[in-house]
C-alpha cells in the first residue's frame, strides 16, 4: 500500500495568520517584516525613502545615476547576450539607469523583473517600454526562486541577477548565507550577481535612519498591528505599543522592536496572546556589512567578488560577484 501526501495549498491569508501566530506564540515574540508591505505599508515605506535620515536610497541612487556606464561595461565584458533578472524590482527607479546604459551600449539582453506584487509587474510592463522603447521586458510575478527557475526555462542565455536596495540586510547573516547559497545553485558558471549592501558607518547615523524624529519608521512598524487588526480580526490597542530601534556596531545588526507598554491581552480571531509589561516583539533586522563581511559572504557561498561600486560618501556598495 502506498500513502500519498496531498499538499493543501494555503492561501495568503491563512499563511499570514499562521506565521503571525507562530511568531506571537514564540518566546521571545517576533513578527515577519515581509508583512509590513500592504498598500499603507508601501506608502509609508515610500515616505521612509524620502526621509532626510534614510540615507540608503540616495546613496544607491547616486551609484546608479553616476556609474551605470561602468556597471554596464562590467556586465557586458564577455560580449555575449544575457538575461538581466531583477529580484524585487519595485518601480525600477534605480535600475532604469542601468537599463538605459545597456541599451545605449547596444547590448543584447532581455529584462526580467521579478516581484511578489502582481500590481508592480503589471505597472512595469506597461510603463517601462514607454520610457525605453527598445527594451525587451518580461515581468515575472511570484517568489524569487520559483521565478528564477522560470526565467531559466524561458531562455538559456547567461544570467545577470540584480538584488539591490539592501534587501539582503533584512535577513540575518545566517539567512543571508542560505539565500546566497540557494541563489548560487540556480546559476551557472560565469553568471553574475549585482548585490547592494548598506555599509557599517557611524552608529548614530544608522540608528537615526531607523528611529527618525518624525516617527515615520514608528508608523511603519505599528502599521503591521493595524494590518493584523484589519485582516486577521485582531484587537491590538496600538497606543499600548511603542517602537524601539537599536544598533550594535560590533555585529552590524540594526534591529527594531515593538514594546508592550503594559500587561495586556490581544485577541487574534479566537486566539489569545498575552503580553507582559515591557515585553518586546522583534520586528525587523537591517544588517550592516563591512567590506570584509561582504567578501566573506561571497566566498562562503561560492561566489567570487569581482568589482565594487560606491557612492561618494561610501555609505553604500553595489558589489558584482561571479559564479
Ligand atoms: C527594504 N529594506 C531594505 C529597508 C531597510 O532599510 O531595512 C526596510 C526598512 N525598514 C525600516 N526602514 C526601512
Amino acid at each position: 500500500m502506498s500513502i500519498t501526501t496531498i499538499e493543501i495549498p494555503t492561501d495568503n491569508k491563512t499563511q499570514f495568520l499562521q506565521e503571525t501566530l507562530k511568531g506571537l506564540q514564540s518566546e521571545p515574540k517576533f513578527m515577519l517584516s515581509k508583512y509590513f508591505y500592504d498598500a499603507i505599508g508601501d506608502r509609508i515605506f515610500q515616505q521612509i525613502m524620502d526621509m532626510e535620515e534614510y540615507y540608503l536610497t540616495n546613496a544607491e541612487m547616486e551609484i546608479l545615476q553616476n556609474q551605470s556606464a561602468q556597471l554596464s561595461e562590467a556586465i557586458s565584458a564577455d560580449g555575449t547576450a544575457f538575461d538581466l533578472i531583477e529580484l524585487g524590482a519595485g518601480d525600477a527607479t534605480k535600475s532604469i539607469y542601468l537599463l538605459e546604459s545597456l541599451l545605449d551600449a547596444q547590448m543584447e539582453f532581455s529584462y526580467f523583473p521579478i516581484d511578489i506584487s502582481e500590481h508592480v509587474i503589471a505597472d512595469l510592463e506597461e510603463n517601462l517600454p514607454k520610457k525605453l522603447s527598445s527594451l525587451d521586458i518580461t515581468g515575472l510575478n511570484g517568489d524569487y526562486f520559483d521565478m528564477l527557475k522560470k526565467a531559466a526555462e524561458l531562455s538559456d542565455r547567461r544570467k545577470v541577477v540584480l538584488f539591490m536596495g539592501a534587501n539582503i540586510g533584512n535577513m540575518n547573516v545566517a539567512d543571508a548565507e542560505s539565500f546566497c547559497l540557494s541563489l548560487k545553485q540556480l546559476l551557472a558558471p560565469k553568471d553574475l550577481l549585482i548585490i547592494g549592501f548598506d555599509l557599517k558607518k557611524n552608529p548614530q547615523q544608522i540608528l537615526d535612519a531607523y528611529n527618525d524624529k518624525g516617527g515615520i519608521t514608528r508608523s511603519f512598524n505599528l502599521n503591521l498591528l493595524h494590518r493584523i487588526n484589519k485582516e486577521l480580526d485582531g484587537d491590538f490597542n496600538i497606543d499600548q505599543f511603542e517602537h524601539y530601534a537599536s544598533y550594535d556596531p560590533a555585529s552590524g545588526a540594526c534591529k527594531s522592536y515593538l514594546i508592550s507598554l503594559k500587561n495586556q491581552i490581544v485577541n487574534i480571531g479566537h486566539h489569545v496572546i498575552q503580553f507582559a509589561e515591557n515585553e518586546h516583539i522583534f520586528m525587523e533586522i537591517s544588517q550592516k556589512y563591512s567590506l570584509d563581511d561582504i567578501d566573506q559572504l561571497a566566498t562562503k557561498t561560492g561566489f567570487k567578488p569581482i568589482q565594487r561600486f560606491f557612492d561618494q560618501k561610501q555609505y553604500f556598495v553595489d558589489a558584482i560577484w561571479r559564479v
Side-chain angles (χ1 to χ4, degrees), residues 36-37 45 48 54 56 165-170 209-210 217 220-221 284-288:
F36 285 172
Y37 302 89
F45 184 55
I48 287 179
Y54 195 75
L56 288 81
N167 287 317
I168 188 89
N170 296 131
Y210 295 87
T217 312
F220 188 53
N221 279 264
E284 184 180 46
I285 185 164
S286 299
Q287 178 68 39
K288 309 305 170 193

Side-chain angles (χ1 to χ4, degrees), residues 80-202:
T80 57
F82 60 91
D83 294 329
L84 183 68
I85 303 175
E86 180 161 16
L87 309 182
D91 57 7
T93 37
K94 290 177 208 148
S95 31
I96 195 164
Y97 292 100
L98 178 60
L99 296 170
E100 258 172 354
S101 291
L102 290 166
L103 292 172
D104 286 350
Q106 306 203 321
M107 288 299 130
E108 197 186 336
F109 74 102
S110 304
Y111 177 52
F112 292 91
I114 299 180
D115 207 284
I116 199 75
S117 156
E118 205 176 315
H119 171 246
V120 159
I121 291 299
D123 245 35
L124 282 175
E125 283 192 319
E126 189 188 330
N127 294 321
L128 265 188
K130 289 183 196 157
K131 295 177 191 152
L132 305 170
S133 57
S134 52
L135 183 69
D136 176 17
I137 172 173
T138 305
L140 298 170
N141 167 221
D143 170 85
Y144 291 165
F145 292 141
D146 291 344
M147 292 305 111
L148 256 173
K149 283 179 204 149
K150 193 160 176 185
E153 282 161 23
L154 293 173
S155 127
D156 59 2
R157 298 206 286 204
R158 75 186 169 96
K159 308 278 178 255
V160 178
V161 175
L162 274 183
F163 188 43
M164 301 197 301
N167 287 317
I168 188 89
N170 296 131
M171 301 172 206
N172 64 36
V173 173
D175 290 345
E177 280 177 20
S178 326
F179 178 88
C180 291
L181 269 175
S182 307
L183 185 54
K184 200 229 144 191
Q185 274 154 17
L186 294 173
L187 299 177
K190 292 198 180 162
D191 284 350
L192 296 179
L193 170 64
I194 302 177
I195 180 165
F197 293 91
D198 189 21
L199 293 169
K200 286 177 177 164
K201 58 182 66 61
N202 181 286

